[in-house]
Amino acid sequence: GLIYRGPRLINWSPGLKTAVSDLEVEYNEEEVTLYYFKYMLKDSGDHIPVATVRPETILGDTAVAVHPDDVRYNKLIGRTAIVPMLEREIPVIADTTVNREFGTGAVKITPGHDPADYEIAQRAGLSIISLFNKDATLNENAGPYAGQDRFDCRRNLWADMERAGLTLKTEKHVTQIPRSQRGGEIVEPMVSTQW
């Protein structure tokens, strides 16, 4: 019979409105923008600086993770951070897979839309928030950004965060971008229930 595997991440092609296999996804080195912002800590004026190439996924964050041996941040483990613009409370957690050398050394965890974050969420027992509709517009979990295209949301959310004093800087960054072999659009990792 069929084995139920539970939710897992798939490669979703918004234009084709279908999942594409790992074999149909090509990773190309592309220059993108790396966005640095403040993850404010609850009940203090302190923040953790975090960098991301996909600011729209901030809305689906369920934790901020730091390496347990990172002296810059390990005293913050167990504190509560506030998701920008949504004011949702999330934990600051420790995970040994966090790369202390990349970005700021602290990472946002978006298990619904990133394979590495999904693995961290499984280990830490974090909730998983799905942010995107099948056409890559944002769903109701995105609060005031619901209905916006993912790239429009990126611009609008960043502009709102700038006005709120939550942005630090942007810089050019070269990374691997997943694109569908059919059509060439950027593939979105999404949670799916597979049978």
Side-chain angles (χ1 to χ4, degrees):
L2 293 173
I3 298 170
Y4 176 63
R5 301 190 195 288
R8 69 179 190 94
L9 284 185
I10 59 166
N11 303 303
W12 185 259
S13 172
L16 298 171
K17 307 241 188 334
T18 187
V20 291
S21 78
D22 290 347
L23 299 174
E24 297 174 281
V25 176
E26 293 175 341
Y27 288 84
N28 302 300
E29 278 208 344
E30 297 181 29
E31 187 177 85
V32 297
T33 301
L34 188 58
Y35 299 82
Y36 289 80
F37 68 99
K38 299 175 187 175
Y39 239 116
M40 300 306 294
L41 294 169
K42 183 179 177 182
D43 300 330
S44 77
D46 297 337
H47 72 271
I48 301 175
V50 173
T52 182
V53 296
R54 299 165 67 210
E56 65 280 9
T57 64
I58 291 169
L59 302 168
D61 288 354
T62 57
V64 176
V66 299
H67 193 284
D69 300 331
D70 191 330
V71 295
R72 296 172 294 176
Y73 306 121
N74 59 10
K75 65 186 178 297
L76 301 175
I77 296 164
R79 298 274 304 270
T80 299
I82 309 295
V83 175
M85 312 322 295
L86 294 185
E87 303 297 311
R88 187 163 39 76
E89 297 185 0
I90 61 174
V92 179
I93 65 168
D95 194 281
T96 55
T97 62
V98 172
N99 180 349
R100 291 178 271 187
E101 310 306 315
F102 176 75
T104 66
V107 295
K108 55 189 251 22
I109 304 299
T110 318
H113 301 284
D114 182 275
D117 293 1
Y118 183 82
E119 296 300 321
I120 290 172
Q122 295 299 297
R123 286 194 293 277
L126 299 173
S127 58
I128 297 172
I129 296 173
S130 178
L131 273 183
F132 296 107
N133 296 308
K134 300 273 190 243
D135 62 357
T137 58
L138 282 98
N139 65 27
E140 66 280 358
N141 292 326
Y145 305 94
Q148 296 183 16
D149 170 79
R150 57 185 166 165
F151 301 116
D152 292 338
C153 176
R154 179 178 298 179
R155 281 188 297 277
N156 295 334
L157 175 62
W158 191 252
D160 290 345
M161 287 171 60
E162 275 184 322
R163 280 190 287 277
L166 297 174
T167 61
L168 294 167
K169 66 177 181 176
T170 60
E171 64 186 25
K172 292 297 174 203
H173 175 68
V174 175
T175 190
Q176 299 283 325
I177 299 293
R179 290 187 180 272
S180 168
Q181 286 179 341
R182 298 179 282 164
E185 75 174 330
I186 295 177
V187 170
E188 199 60 63
M190 288 172 79
V191 174
S192 175
T193 303
Q194 295 289 331
W195 288 86

